Amino acid sequence: MSATAKKSSQARKTLQLVLIAVAALVLAGNFIIKSLGDDVAPAEGAEGSALSTLDSLTVQEAATTDGYDREADFGSAWQDADDNGCDTRNDMLQRDLEDIKFSDGDACEVASGTLDDPYTGETIAFERGENSGDVQIDHVVALMNGWTTGAADWDRDTRIEFANDPLNLIASDGPANMGKGAKDASEWLPDNQAYRCEYVARQIAVKAKYELWVTPAEHDAMEDVLTSCPAEPLPAP
């Protein structure tokens, strides 16, 4: 073999060795990156945040809906639970709507107003009458969800308090509220993504206040939302 041929053969072998070494380094790097990724801890919330409070909630499967009766168990809608002279629906309309006008001669009944709907991000003009349902009062933690995560064991007075607690209530778009129904965070989240952190934080605050549990799927869905906003605070009770 000529000297030139020997040099060419050695060059090819050297190149092959270099390529093998590079491939080995790439594979090792991918393995290290994957290993590090597997060991990355989930986001942690600061003390008092919704995320840290979520970690304090009991996680277990939902109980049966057997025996659930909305009115018999949680009282008729809507009551004057705080004895301020106004029923809960009008209290919430007064709290959440802007540019409010009252019905003639009535200091409680909201006749009209404007809602910046948190669930859709849309502005809704509310007017009492045949279209009153355009704005509804949502139970952030649905009553049936409450029943299957601990409320079935409460006395009726506690259930009525829960059903009329302003912490668990928010004025919202009627169709959005109907679409939500009794779904938890693993089954339904607001279309308005900018509100999802606050929405989940409010659900967690309610569950913590009333010592309700969350299902595994519900917990994971809440955690997924709060990963993008680990400092989201709990709303004031």
Side-chain angles (χ1 to χ4, degrees):
M1 182 181 291
S2 66
T4 301
K6 287 182 179 180
K7 289 181 179 179
S8 177
S9 177
Q10 290 175 346
R12 285 197 299 272
K13 289 180 179 179
T14 300
L15 178 60
Q16 288 173 347
L17 290 173
V18 170
L19 292 175
I20 291 171
V22 169
L25 288 171
V26 170
L27 289 173
N30 287 340
F31 176 78
I32 291 171
I33 290 171
K34 183 179 184 303
S35 298
L36 289 173
D38 291 341
D39 293 337
V40 172
E44 294 184 2
E47 183 177 354
S49 68
L51 187 55
S52 66
T53 305
L54 174 62
D55 290 337
S56 72
L57 299 180
T58 299
V59 180
Q60 66 185 60
E61 295 296 341
T64 178
T65 59
D66 290 351
Y68 172 78
D69 184 307
R70 196 275 185 223
E71 186 164 336
D73 295 321
F74 292 91
S76 59
W78 293 93
Q79 301 189 24
D80 179 13
D82 58 3
D83 295 322
N84 70 345
C86 301
D87 65 64
T88 302
R89 173 174 167 80
N90 279 294
D91 281 340
M92 295 303 97
L93 291 175
Q94 291 179 42
R95 185 194 68 181
D96 294 344
L97 270 60
E98 299 177 350
D99 303 322
I100 291 171
K101 293 183 179 179
F102 292 95
S103 298
D104 290 342
D106 193 324
C108 284
E109 188 176 82
V110 176
S112 63
T114 302
L115 174 67
D116 290 328
D117 176 47
Y119 288 174
T120 64
E122 302 293 329
T123 299
I124 302 173
F126 169 76
E127 186 170 353
R128 182 171 297 277
E130 62 181 12
N131 295 321
S132 289
D134 289 351
V135 173
Q136 297 180 10
I137 308 301
D138 179 42
H139 287 97
V140 179
V141 174
L143 300 184
M144 185 180 290
N145 177 272
W147 177 268
T148 61
T149 58
D153 296 328
W154 298 346
D155 59 55
R156 191 168 184 271
D157 287 345
T158 303
R159 294 192 199 112
I160 291 174
E161 176 189 346
F162 173 76
N164 291 274
D165 189 339
L167 179 64
N168 192 33
L169 298 171
I170 190 165
S172 64
D173 173 73
N177 180 40
M178 297 297 290
K180 172 190 170 182
K183 298 181 180 72
D184 65 28
S186 70
E187 303 166 310
W188 187 92
L189 290 168
D191 286 341
N192 180 15
Q193 294 192 18
Y195 186 69
R196 288 184 177 182
C197 287
E198 187 175 343
Y199 172 76
V200 167
R202 184 173 287 270
Q203 287 191 320
I204 292 169
V206 172
K207 295 234 167 184
K209 178 177 179 178
Y210 288 92
E211 298 182 351
L212 296 170
W213 70 79
V214 291
T215 68
E218 187 179 12
H219 175 278
D220 290 350
M222 288 174 163
E223 187 175 64
D224 285 346
V225 170
L226 294 174
T227 296
S228 66
C229 49
E232 181 69 33
L234 288 178

